[in-house]
């Protein structure tokens, strides 16, 4: 049986059954007395489970059979009316959709704290200059805040995807029966309202076969986990002795069992590796669904185990990320030193020649490259060459170029929409903060 896994759905299962019998009564399919008896007993069962007084019988297939069985113990034969015009096929998807809706909202909340942690850190680091990388080689100076806001964008997209998933979770499966609908005069609008769905599903066969809403959840969780793993990997690199751009608070590092000096970034490695599980989970579900005929087959039962695993893992991952974000120490000095290595403002010098001397960009690029070659040979930065040396390569340059080569000026100048200028960043932080509220 699947009880060990689907017992997590007990609350939704009882909620669904109560809505169902209330509907049956309104439609005069069962009488008032029986309806009340069943509702009373279902509430009692709910209590028993919450208070851990419920005795689960693992001989019975699943949570639905356990609850139905207890219903019989409590009220006798009348319990049998609860399954009028209902199948476990529509029952279980109703439960799962209700559960996923609540759980999706919890994930969105957690992602909100992630973004607010990132924004707090960004706020303190608008003027923290670091090397922006391409190919993991120093490319151009950027603000650390701008880098952090890149992750705010990613997690905002994840939030939006989770929110969008709710549209399909709002279609009520209850009342489609085993696959064909029912001959009873049920009212699916009533249960839709009662259970806070938005509309009933349209096709009874599709309803019991469809697990697209499961795939949506698994994919969205995977996308989110990929973002987390990319962040984790970058922090591992930054935390390495070679980069030394950040330090992790002692609270979140672990020691080595043999090397006394070690402070390892285990939580980050955990997050980087965890993505493997999300890839496994979605692979698991698509393998079940591929080529599966309509409508219900036992193959589908595994959907819940996969969903619960993904949810638990994502919840842990985001929560852990939130702790890490509060325990990052930024090595600002080191960031600045590293940003100044590798001729990161060379592009600014080329741009200057285009703007001031009217050169085509490619010509300016070649002139700059020549300067870098000379500087490299002399083991100097371009700024450390004097104007005479530079004029040998390009006679039209004057002392203004030293300002152009300055890191802070370089960052400040990237005022194009979405660029790393301090101005842009401050505006973006303000915008995100408004969104989160
Ligand atoms: N535990 C089952 C599942 O999750 C409930 C549905 C059973 N339906 C059936 N026709 N056996 O899939």
């Amino acid at each position: 049986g699947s009880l060990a896994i689907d017992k997590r759905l007990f609350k939704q299962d009882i909620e669904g059954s109560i809505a169902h019998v209330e509907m049956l009564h309104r439609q005069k399919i069962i009488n008032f007395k029986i309806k009340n008896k069943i509702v009373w007993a279902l509430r009692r069962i709910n209590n028993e489970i919450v208070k851990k007084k419920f005795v689960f019988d693992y001989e019975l297939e699943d949570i639905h059979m356990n609850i139905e069985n207890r219903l019989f113990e409590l009220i006798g034969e009348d319990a049998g009316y609860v399954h009028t015009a209902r199948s476990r096929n529509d029952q279980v998807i109703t439960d799962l959709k209700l559960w996923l809706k609540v759980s999706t909202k919890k994930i969105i909340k957690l992602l909100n704290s992630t973004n607010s942690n990132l924004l707090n850190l960004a706020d303190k680091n608008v003027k923290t200059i670091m090397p922006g990388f391409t190919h993991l080689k120093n490319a151009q100076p950027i603000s650390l805040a701008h880098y952090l806001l890149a992750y705010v964008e990613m997690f905002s997209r994840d939030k939006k995807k989770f929110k969008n998933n709710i549209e399909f979770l709002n279609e009520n499966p209850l009342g489609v029966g085993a696959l064909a609908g029912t001959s009873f005069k049920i009212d699916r609008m009533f249960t839709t309202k009662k259970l806070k769905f938005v509309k009933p599903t349209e096709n009874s066969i599709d309803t019991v076969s469809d697990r697209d809403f499961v795939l949506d959840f698994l994919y969205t969780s995977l996308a989110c986990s990929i973002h987390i793993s990319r962040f984790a990997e970058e922090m591992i690199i930054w935390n390495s002795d070679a980069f030394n751009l950040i330090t992790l608070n002692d609270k979140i590092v672990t020691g080595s069992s043999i090397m006394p000096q070690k402070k390892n970034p285990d939580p980050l490695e955990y997050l980087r590796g965890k993505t493997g599980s999300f890839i496994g989970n979605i692979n698991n579900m698509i393998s079940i669904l591929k080529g599966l005929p309509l409508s219900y087959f036992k193959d589908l039962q595994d959907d819940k185990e996969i969903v619960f695993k993904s949810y638990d893992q994502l919840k842990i991952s985001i929560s852990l990320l939130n702790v890490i974000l509060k325990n990052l120490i930024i090595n600002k000095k080191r960031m600045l030193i590293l940003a100044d290595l590798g001729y990161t403002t060379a592009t600014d010098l080329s741009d200057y020649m285009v703007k001031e001397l009217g050169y085509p960009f490619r010509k300016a690029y070649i002139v700059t490259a020549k300067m870098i070659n000379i500087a490299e040979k002399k083991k100097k930065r371009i700024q450390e060459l004097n104007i005479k040396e530079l004029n040998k390569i390009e006679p039209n340059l004057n002392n203004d170029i030293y300002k152009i080569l300055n890191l802070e000026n370089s960052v400040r100048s990237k005022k194009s929409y979405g660029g790393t200028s301090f101005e842009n960043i401050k505006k973006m932080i303000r915008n995100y903060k408004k969104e989160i509220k």
Side-chain angles (χ1 to χ4, degrees):
S2 59
L3 178 63
I5 287 150
D6 57 30
K7 68 206 279 199
R8 276 176 86 163
L9 294 174
F10 80 89
K11 201 168 152 258
Q12 287 75 20
D13 197 64
I14 289 171
E15 224 183 306
S17 291
I18 291 177
H20 181 65
V21 294
E22 278 177 354
M23 182 279 292
L24 291 178
H25 165 245
R26 265 177 61 107
Q27 297 302 103
K28 303 192 168 56
I29 299 166
I30 61 171
N31 72 39
F32 185 66
K33 245 182 81 184
I34 290 171
K35 186 261 296 184
N36 278 353
K37 251 186 175 178
I38 296 176
V39 171
W40 168 82
L42 284 170
R43 295 223 166 98
R44 182 176 159 152
I45 294 170
N46 189 66
N47 250 329
E48 290 176 353
I49 300 178
V50 170
K51 298 210 167 108
K52 301 201 177 352
K53 281 178 191 148
F54 188 93
V55 188
F56 287 102
D57 181 352
Y58 284 82
E59 292 297 304
L60 298 169
E61 219 184 291
D62 51 28
I63 183 67
H64 323 292
M65 298 319 287
N66 263 267
I67 292 174
E68 188 173 321
N69 186 59
R70 179 71 182 134
L71 206 55
F72 272 94
E73 281 176 16
L74 288 171
I75 61 173
E77 234 195 347
D78 284 346
Y81 283 103
V82 73
H83 218 58
T84 315
R86 186 179 71 174
S87 154
R88 270 187 301 161
N89 293 354
D90 56 344
Q91 186 179 358
V92 71
I93 329 166
T94 304
D95 297 359
L96 187 55
K97 278 191 169 184
L98 289 173
W99 187 92
L100 267 173
K101 216 159 78 171
V102 181
S103 305
T104 295
K105 287 177 185 165
K106 287 184 189 161
I107 297 286
I108 291 173
K109 259 200 159 162
L110 279 176
L111 285 174
N112 263 337
S113 353
T114 307
N115 273 351
S116 89
N117 289 333
L118 282 165
L119 286 173
N120 281 341
L121 207 54
D123 229 351
K124 289 181 205 141
N125 287 287
V126 173
K127 294 233 161 153
T128 305
I129 293 172
M130 61 170 277
F133 306 103
T134 65
H135 311 269
L136 208 55
K137 297 280 286 177
N138 291 10
Q140 293 185 307
I142 56 169
S143 151
L144 171 61
H146 194 52
Y147 164 88
L148 294 168
L149 295 187
Y151 280 93
V152 172
E153 281 290 324
M154 292 177 232
F155 294 123
S156 299
R157 279 199 296 276
D158 295 335
K159 264 173 51 188
K160 186 121 191 241
K161 283 201 206 97
F162 276 117
K163 268 187 205 149
N164 289 343
N165 291 347
I166 290 178
E167 183 181 345
F168 290 126
L169 294 176
N170 269 335
E171 293 186 1
N172 178 17
L174 193 59
V176 301
L179 84 159
T182 174
S183 61
F184 290 98
K185 284 210 166 53
I186 59 169
D187 181 357
R188 295 187 64 204
M189 292 301 171
F190 178 84
T191 53
T192 295
K193 263 203 181 145
K194 186 88 194 164
L195 294 170
K196 298 199 170 74
F197 286 106
V198 170
K199 62 194 272 292
T201 54
E202 294 294 333
N203 180 300
S204 57
I205 303 166
D206 171 55
T207 301
V208 293
S209 322
D210 168 37
R211 292 297 182 279
D212 292 353
F213 65 95
V214 169
L215 291 183
D216 290 342
F217 179 76
L218 297 177
Y219 169 66
T220 311
S221 303
L222 170 60
C224 182
S225 165
I226 289 174
H227 295 150
I228 296 174
S229 83
R230 292 180 78 169
F231 182 78
E233 168 66 352
E234 294 207 88
M235 291 305 116
I236 290 167
I237 295 172
W238 292 13
N239 179 62
S240 69
D241 295 313
F243 273 74
N244 192 23
L245 293 178
I246 57 160
T247 308
L248 299 173
N249 191 316
D250 277 354
K251 269 189 263 173
I252 58 162
V253 296
T254 47
S256 153
S257 57
I258 173 169
M259 297 170 281
Q261 85 285 9
K262 286 281 267 187
K263 290 180 178 180
N264 296 326
D266 284 32
L268 290 167
E269 292 164 10
Y270 174 90
L271 290 178
R272 182 177 58 184
K274 206 74 222 151
T275 307
S277 304
F278 292 87
I279 296 170
N281 293 343
I282 196 163
N283 265 325
N284 195 344
M285 196 64 217
I286 58 182
S287 312
I288 290 169
L289 288 174
K290 184 201 166 290
L292 190 71
L294 312 184
S295 57
Y296 179 84
F297 289 89
K298 200 71 172 180
D299 310 47
L300 293 170
Q301 176 168 277
D302 269 353
D303 61 355
K304 285 167 289 300
E305 183 172 11
I306 300 167
V307 161
F308 294 155
K309 267 199 288 187
S310 267
Y311 172 76
D312 291 341
Q313 290 160 351
L314 191 59
K315 206 175 134 194
I316 291 176
S317 295
I318 304 174
S319 308
L320 185 56
L321 174 63
N322 285 342
V323 173
I324 293 170
L325 286 173
K326 287 184 181 151
N327 286 284
L328 285 184
I329 300 154
I330 310 295
N331 303 338
K332 294 187 185 187
K333 273 191 196 151
R334 171 72 185 156
M335 282 190 175
L336 191 64
I337 290 169
L338 207 58
D340 213 8
L341 294 180
Y343 305 96
T344 53
T345 50
T347 313
D348 299 278
L349 185 54
S350 302
D351 290 350
Y352 168 84
M353 285 186 248
V354 171
K355 287 185 238 171
E356 295 302 315
L357 307 179
Y359 286 1
F361 180 78
R362 194 50 75 214
K363 180 176 172 180
Y365 172 101
I366 291 166
V367 172
T368 311
K370 278 185 196 157
M371 292 177 175
I372 292 172
N373 282 336
I374 303 257
E376 247 172 359
K377 268 185 207 129
K378 298 191 171 173
K379 294 203 172 15
K380 285 180 173 175
R381 301 181 303 154
I382 306 184
Q383 297 85 313
E384 286 158 358
L385 300 176
N386 64 38
I387 194 72
K388 268 190 203 152
E389 290 172 289
L390 292 175
N391 280 346
K392 268 188 218 153
I393 302 160
E394 176 49 63
N396 291 322
L397 292 176
N398 61 38
N399 281 321
D400 285 354
I401 64 150
Y402 295 104
K403 270 182 251 155
I404 297 300
L405 290 166
N406 175 278
L407 292 176
E408 194 173 318
N409 289 339
S410 165
V411 175
R412 193 185 304 282
S413 72
K414 303 300 186 312
K415 289 182 184 152
S416 58
Y417 194 94
T420 193
S421 75
F422 306 125
E423 244 173 82
N424 267 351
I425 295 166
K426 282 184 202 152
K427 188 187 77 199
M428 288 312 291
I429 292 177
R430 253 181 279 128
N431 289 350
Y432 290 125
K433 280 190 173 168
K434 261 186 247 155
E435 260 172 54
I436 282 185
K437 263 187 208 160

